[in-house]
Amino acid sequence: MSLTFDDGTFIRNEMVQPLPPPRRQVGALGWVRENLFSSVLNTVLTLAGIALVALILPPLVRFMILDAVWTGENREACLGPEVGACWPFIKAKFGQLIYGFYPIDQRWRPNIVFAAGILLMVPLLVPSWPLKRLNSFLFFVIYPVVSFVLLTGGNIDASAFLFEHFGLIHSFVGDVTMAGVNATFWVDYVLTAIAAAAFVGGLLALLGGSGTGAARTTLWVFLAFGALVLAWDIDFGLPYVETRQWGGLLVTLVIAVTGIVASLPLGILLALGRRSQMPIVRLLCVVFIEFWRGVPLITVLFFATYMLPLFLPSGTNPDALLRALVGVALFSAAYMAEVVRGGLQAISKGQYEGAMAMGLTWSQMMRLIILPQALTLVIPGIVNSFISLFKDTTLVLIVSIFDFLGQLRASFTDPNWATPVTLYTGFAFAGVVYFLFCFGMSRYSLFVERRLNTSHRR
Amino acid sequence: MSDTHSIVPSDELPAVHTAPSREVAVELVGVHKWYGEFHVLKDINLRVQRGERIVICGPSGSGKSTMIRCINRLEEHQQGTIVVDGIELTNDLKRIDEIRREVGMCFQHFNLFPHLTILENCTLAPIWVRKMPKREAEELAMHFLRKVKIPEQANKYPGQLSGGQQQRVAIARALCMKPKIMLFDEPTSALDPEMVKEVLETMVSLAEEGMTMLCVTHEMGFARQVANRVIFMDAGQIIEANEPNAFFSNPQHERTKLFLSQILH
C-alpha cells in the first residue's frame, strides 16, 4: 500500500481491502476465557454460579429421580427414610389432576377437546403452514362452540329464557315442536331479526349513514347468534355435565385459553378507544380500564360469584364457571389494553399521516398499518400478560372452582397417600407442569418476535 | 411514459415546458388556521391550475408545510374554503377520502411502512382503496418502481434501503394511486447530499409528464428548472408569488430579498 505523506496533505493511492475480524476466541478454552473468566468480577461470578448449581442440582436430581419411588399402590410404598418423590401418588391422582370430578365414563369428551385443540393450534402456530384463514376460523369460531357442546353436553334450552322477554307470536301459537326443534321459537327469531334489521337500517338511513349496510350487518349478527343457539339447542344425546364437576388442568386450560383469546381483541378495542378522538368513547374506555385495574382479581371473582346473583333478577343465575371466565377475561383485557396502548404510542405520527394521505379509511389504517407494527413492538408485554393470566387462573380456587393446583391440594387430603413426601411431590409436579406451559409461551413469543422484526433489518 | 430520462436539475439545462391548462386543480380562498392561540395561516389565497408546478419556500415555521397539509386534510383549516379537484373540503369524511384518493403526498421522512416490503408498500392503497386485483396492483407497482429506477428492490424492506431510494419508493407509492395532484413536503431535506439528486431527477421527470405539483422545498435549482411559480411564505402568509426567473432575479418584497440573500450565496 503506497501512501503519500507530505506536510499533512494526504492522498490515498490504494483502497484498504476488508479483512476478517481478529480472532480472539480460539477453541473451547478461548471461549471459556473470553466468556467466563475475562475479568476478576466475572471469575467470581462464574465460581459463585457453579457453587450455586452444585448446591441445588444434586439434591433436586436425587429427590426427583434417584431416590424417587416409581411404583406402588398406596402410601406404604413411599414410607421409609431417605425417600424421594412419590410418583405413584401422581400416577394415582393423574386423572383427577387432569379432569377434576368429570365423570370417568365421559372423559373421552375432554380428551377430544384437548386433542382437537392441539391439532388446530399447532398448525396455527407454525407460520409456514398453509390455510391460515380456514385454520383460524376453525380454531376461533367452530372450536369454542364444539368444545362447549362436548364439555357441557349441549342441549341448552335457550328458547325458554329468550321467550320470557322477546316472544312475538309465542303467546298466540304456543309451542310447536317439529323434529325436536321448537318451530315457534325460530319463527319468532326470524321475525325479530327482520324487525331489528329494519329498525337499525332505518335509523342509520335517517342519520345519513348507509342504511342497507347496517341492516345487513344486523342480519349477520342475528344469523351468527342463531347458529350458536341452534348448535347449543340440538340434543346430541350427551349426558349433561355441570361445570361444578369440571376441574384440574381442564379448568385451568379453559379459563386460561378463553381469557387469552378474549382479552387480546378486547384489549385492542379498549386501547383504540382510549386513544380515540371521541370524548365519550374515550371516557368510557378510561373508566373501564381504570376500574378493572383498580380492583384485585380476587375481589372480581368474589364479586362475580357471591354478589352478582344478588343484583340479577331472580331466576337468572349464570353458571359459576362462566361468571369467573367473564371476570378473568375483562380483568386481563384491561391490562392488555394498557400494553397495547404502549405499542400504539410508539408508532410515529408519520405512519398515520402516510396511511391517511393514501386515502385509507380509519379501520384500514389501524388494521393494516398501525396495529401490526404496534402489536409486534409489545409482544413481550402481551406474552407477559398471557403468562401471568395463566398463573392467575389458580385464584379461582377461592370461589370453589378446582383448577389444576386446587385439585392437587384437594388430593393431598387423601389418607391413602398421606406420606411425608406427598406435599413435595405434588408441588414439584405442579411446578414442572406450570413451567412447561409458561416457558413454552415465552419461547414461542421470542420466535415470533424474531420473525416479525423486519423494521430494522439491514 | 418512458423509463429513461436524462434531465439533470442544473441551471444550464433548459427549463421544463409543459403549459398548465385553465382548469383549476386546487383553490384556497381566505384560508386561516390556528394552533390553539397561535395563528399559523393568515388569509391564504392560492389558485393552482391543472398541470401547474408550484414551489413553496420560506423560513421554517412560516406555515408552508401546514398549508400543503391542509390540501389533503392532514391539517384542518378553520376559516376559508379549500377546493381540490372540484371538491370542497369539509368535515364530510367521504369528501376527505375522495380528495385523498386523488392527491398523492411525499413526506420529509418518507413515512414508508417498515413492516411491509417495497412492493407491498406500493400495492397497499391500490388494493384497499381502489379495490384493484392484487396481480394488477403488483404490475402497476412494478411499472412505477421501474420509473423511479429501483425495481430490483421490490422485495426488500424499507429499512434495507438508502434514504434516496426510500424517498423514490415513496414517490412510486404515491403514483400507484394515479393521483391528479402531487404534494411534496420537503422531500429532500432529510437526505444525504449525494442522494438529493436522484430524488430531484425523479421529480423532474414527473413534472415533464405534466403532473400538477406543489412542492415545499429549498432546492432553488429545482425551482428554477421546473416551477411555473415560486411562492415565498413568511409568518403564515404568502409574501410573494412570481414566475421563477423574476422571483430570483428581481424579488420585490424586502423579506424575500433577505431570504434569498441568505440561501443563495
Side-chain angles (χ1 to χ4, degrees):
Chain A
M1 191 174 305
S2 52
L3 302 174
T4 326
F5 280 99
D6 184 26
D7 65 333
T9 58
F10 167 77
I11 297 167
R12 185 176 292 285
N13 292 336
E14 201 181 316
M15 300 303 277
V16 181
Q17 295 308 309
L19 297 168
R23 299 185 68 191
R24 286 227 196 87
Q25 53 269 66
V26 184
L29 208 68
W31 184 89
V32 166
R33 192 175 296 152
E34 178 77 5
N35 291 288
L36 300 178
F37 302 101
S38 57
S39 70
V40 177
L41 180 66
N42 279 353
T43 310
V44 171
L45 287 177
T46 303
L47 292 177
I50 292 173
L52 203 66
V53 171
L55 214 62
I56 294 172
L57 205 60
L60 199 67
V61 171
R62 219 178 304 133
F63 177 79
M64 302 268 282
I65 300 165
L66 299 180
D67 289 350
V69 178
W70 297 91
T71 52
E73 290 306 311
N74 53 35
R75 64 192 290 267
E76 306 291 329
C78 303
L79 289 175
E82 302 293 312
V83 161
C86 182
W87 295 124
F89 161 69
I90 298 295
K91 204 174 142 198
K93 298 290 175 191
F94 192 74
Q96 225 184 77
L97 292 180
I98 302 293
Y99 308 100
F101 302 111
Y102 210 91
I104 293 177
D105 59 330
Q106 298 294 322
R107 280 183 185 171
W108 59 272
R109 284 153 57 177
N111 280 343
I112 292 182
V113 171
F114 286 142
I118 293 169
L119 278 178
L120 287 174
M121 200 156 77
V122 169
L124 203 60
L125 295 183
V126 181
S128 56
W129 289 11
L131 298 175
K132 279 283 175 289
R133 196 171 289 224
L134 175 71
N135 199 335
S136 345
F137 177 75
L138 286 176
F139 185 72
F140 291 109
V141 180
I142 303 295
Y143 179 65
V145 178
V146 172
S147 299
F148 181 85
V149 170
L150 268 173
L151 290 177
T152 60
N155 198 13
I156 290 175
D157 195 5
S159 43
F161 168 72
L162 291 172
F163 265 144
E164 281 179 28
H165 305 277
F166 310 108
L168 283 178
I169 63 164
H170 178 247
S171 31
F172 307 115
V173 193
D175 281 331
V176 181
T177 311
M178 289 194 303
V181 173
N182 191 329
T184 323
F185 171 75
W186 288 107
V187 173
D188 248 355
Y189 190 83
V190 172
L191 287 176
T192 314
I194 293 170
F199 177 74
V200 173
L203 196 70
L204 245 93
L206 272 181
L207 292 172
S210 157
T212 46
R216 206 176 301 134
T217 314
T218 316
L219 279 178
W220 274 112
V221 170
F222 266 94
L223 187 67
F225 187 68
L228 198 68
V229 172
L230 185 64
W232 287 352
D233 203 6
I234 296 171
D235 185 359
F236 290 99
L238 296 170
Y240 178 60
V241 181
E242 57 177 345
T243 54
R244 244 183 303 169
Q245 291 175 283
W246 304 14
L249 196 62
L250 175 66
V251 159
T252 297
L253 287 178
V254 165
I255 297 175
V257 172
T258 318
I260 285 171
V261 170
S263 70
L264 186 60
L266 261 178
I268 291 173
L269 288 181
L270 284 169
L272 291 176
R274 192 165 185 170
R275 283 171 59 81
S276 163
Q277 305 279 334
M278 293 174 274
I280 293 175
V281 173
R282 192 170 56 226
L283 182 73
L284 287 177
C285 290
V286 169
V287 168
F288 184 93
I289 293 169
E290 296 305 334
F291 171 77
W292 288 98
R293 288 206 306 168
V295 290
L297 182 55
I298 293 188
T299 314
V300 172
L301 292 172
F302 248 100
F303 188 88
T305 308
Y306 299 115
M307 294 182 66
L308 200 62
L310 302 179
F311 296 104
L312 291 175
S314 60
T316 50
N317 190 18
D319 186 87
L321 181 65
L322 181 70
R323 277 177 295 179
L325 268 179
V326 172
V328 167
L330 295 182
F331 184 82
S332 48
Y335 280 85
M336 192 59 68
E338 290 299 276
V339 172
V340 174
R341 192 166 67 95
L344 289 173
Q345 267 163 349
I347 305 299
S348 73
K349 212 172 148 227
Q351 292 290 310
Y352 290 88
E353 289 177 350
M356 283 193 287
M358 291 163 80
L360 294 181
T361 62
W362 183 86
S363 69
Q364 286 172 337
M365 171 174 79
M366 283 301 166
R367 202 155 34 103
L368 302 167
I369 309 298
I370 306 300
L371 281 175
Q373 293 184 62
L375 293 181
T376 310
L377 280 175
V378 292
I379 286 175
I382 290 175
V383 175
N384 212 4
S385 293
F386 285 172
I387 289 176
S388 90
L389 167 65
F390 185 82
K391 291 188 289 189
D392 281 352
T393 54
T394 198
L395 287 175
V396 296
L397 182 62
I398 61 139
V399 291
S400 316
I401 297 171
F402 285 82
D403 76 321
F404 181 66
L405 204 62
Q407 206 62 250
L408 183 76
R409 296 183 59 149
S411 62
F412 288 156
T413 56
D414 183 354
N416 272 331
W417 288 97
T419 71
V421 291
T422 305
L423 203 68
Y424 304 122
T425 308
F427 282 124
F429 180 66
V432 170
V433 170
Y434 275 102
F435 181 80
L436 285 180
F437 276 101
C438 296
F439 189 65
M441 281 196 259
S442 161
R443 296 309 297 182
Y444 183 71
S445 90
L446 282 178
F447 162 72
V448 174
E449 232 177 291
R450 268 198 304 274
R451 195 185 135 77
L452 293 182
N453 178 25
T454 58
S455 39
H456 311 293
R457 229 191 257 158
R458 189 82 217 237
Chain B
M1 291 196 201
S2 70
D3 285 349
T4 55
H5 37 72
S6 58
I7 287 192
V8 174
S10 102
D11 296 340
E12 293 148 32
L13 288 163
V16 175
H17 288 297
T18 31
S21 74
R22 287 286 183 82
E23 246 177 291
V24 178
V26 181
E27 186 163 33
L28 290 83
V29 180
V31 171
H32 289 261
K33 175 172 175 60
W34 289 263
Y35 282 132
E37 289 291 304
F38 179 60
H39 200 170
V40 247
L41 292 182
K42 300 166 189 156
D43 190 30
I44 302 287
N45 292 286
L46 176 66
R47 175 182 291 189
V48 182
Q49 243 77 258
R50 200 169 291 293
E52 199 177 7
R53 295 170 300 275
I54 307 269
V55 164
I56 302 147
C57 58
S60 59
S62 60
K64 49 196 192 312
S65 283
T66 309
M67 183 182 83
I68 70 162
R69 287 155 60 85
C70 280
I71 292 172
N72 66 350
R73 223 351 126 95
L74 290 183
E75 305 279 357
E76 196 178 331
H77 63 286
Q78 279 120 19
Q79 236 178 63
T81 51
I82 300 180
V83 180
V84 184
D85 194 34
I87 306 162
E88 191 187 338
L89 257 181
T90 60
N91 281 325
D92 185 355
L93 286 175
K94 266 188 195 165
R95 288 190 187 190
I96 294 174
D97 283 340
E98 235 171 289
I99 287 172
R100 284 178 180 166
R101 253 173 279 171
E102 307 305 332
V103 179
M105 185 158 191
C106 291
F107 301 84
Q108 183 177 2
H109 296 289
F110 331 132
N111 297 351
L112 295 177
F113 307 129
H115 62 301
L116 301 176
T117 63
I118 301 306
L119 190 64
E120 287 166 340
N121 263 282
C122 293
T123 55
L124 188 86
I127 288 174
W128 290 93
V129 180
R130 292 254 191 253
K131 311 286 177 210
M132 194 183 276
K134 192 176 172 211
R135 178 161 301 179
E136 199 181 318
E138 281 175 355
E139 275 166 25
L140 184 75
M142 285 313 293
H143 169 75
F144 284 113
L145 285 176
R146 272 194 296 275
K147 264 184 80 69
V148 301
K149 296 180 180 169
I150 33 176
E152 71 283 357
Q153 313 282 12
N155 291 314
K156 288 192 183 166
Y157 287 92
Q160 295 166 288
L161 269 56
S162 74
Q165 289 174 324
Q166 290 195 42
Q167 191 60 289
R168 283 185 285 153
V169 171
I171 294 174
R173 180 177 77 175
L175 292 178
C176 282
M177 283 294 283
K178 303 211 169 140
K180 294 178 181 153
I181 300 156
M182 282 288 289
L183 308 175
F184 291 88
D185 190 0
E186 306 205 28
T188 55
S189 305
L191 297 177
D192 289 344
E194 282 184 304
M195 293 166 181
V196 170
K197 199 178 117 190
E198 62 188 48
V199 171
L200 288 181
E201 278 176 22
T202 311
M203 289 168 66
V204 169
S205 75
L206 201 58
E208 285 170 335
E209 284 161 16
M211 175 66 79
T212 311
M213 292 163 75
L214 283 92
C215 312
V216 173
T217 182
H218 293 132
E219 296 295 332
M220 290 304 138
F222 174 78
R224 249 188 250 264
Q225 188 196 348
V226 165
N228 301 101
R229 257 191 301 166
V230 180
I231 287 173
F232 175 68
M233 285 181 75
D234 189 30
Q237 39 213 311
I238 294 177
I239 304 285
E240 196 164 339
N242 211 336
E243 56 99 14
N245 275 336
F247 180 84
F248 289 113
S249 56
N250 188 20
Q252 301 296 310
H253 197 278
E254 284 307 313
R255 186 66 190 87
T256 320
K257 286 179 192 169
L258 179 68
F259 178 76
L260 287 176
S261 73
Q262 302 280 5
I263 63 163
L264 303 172
H265 337 274

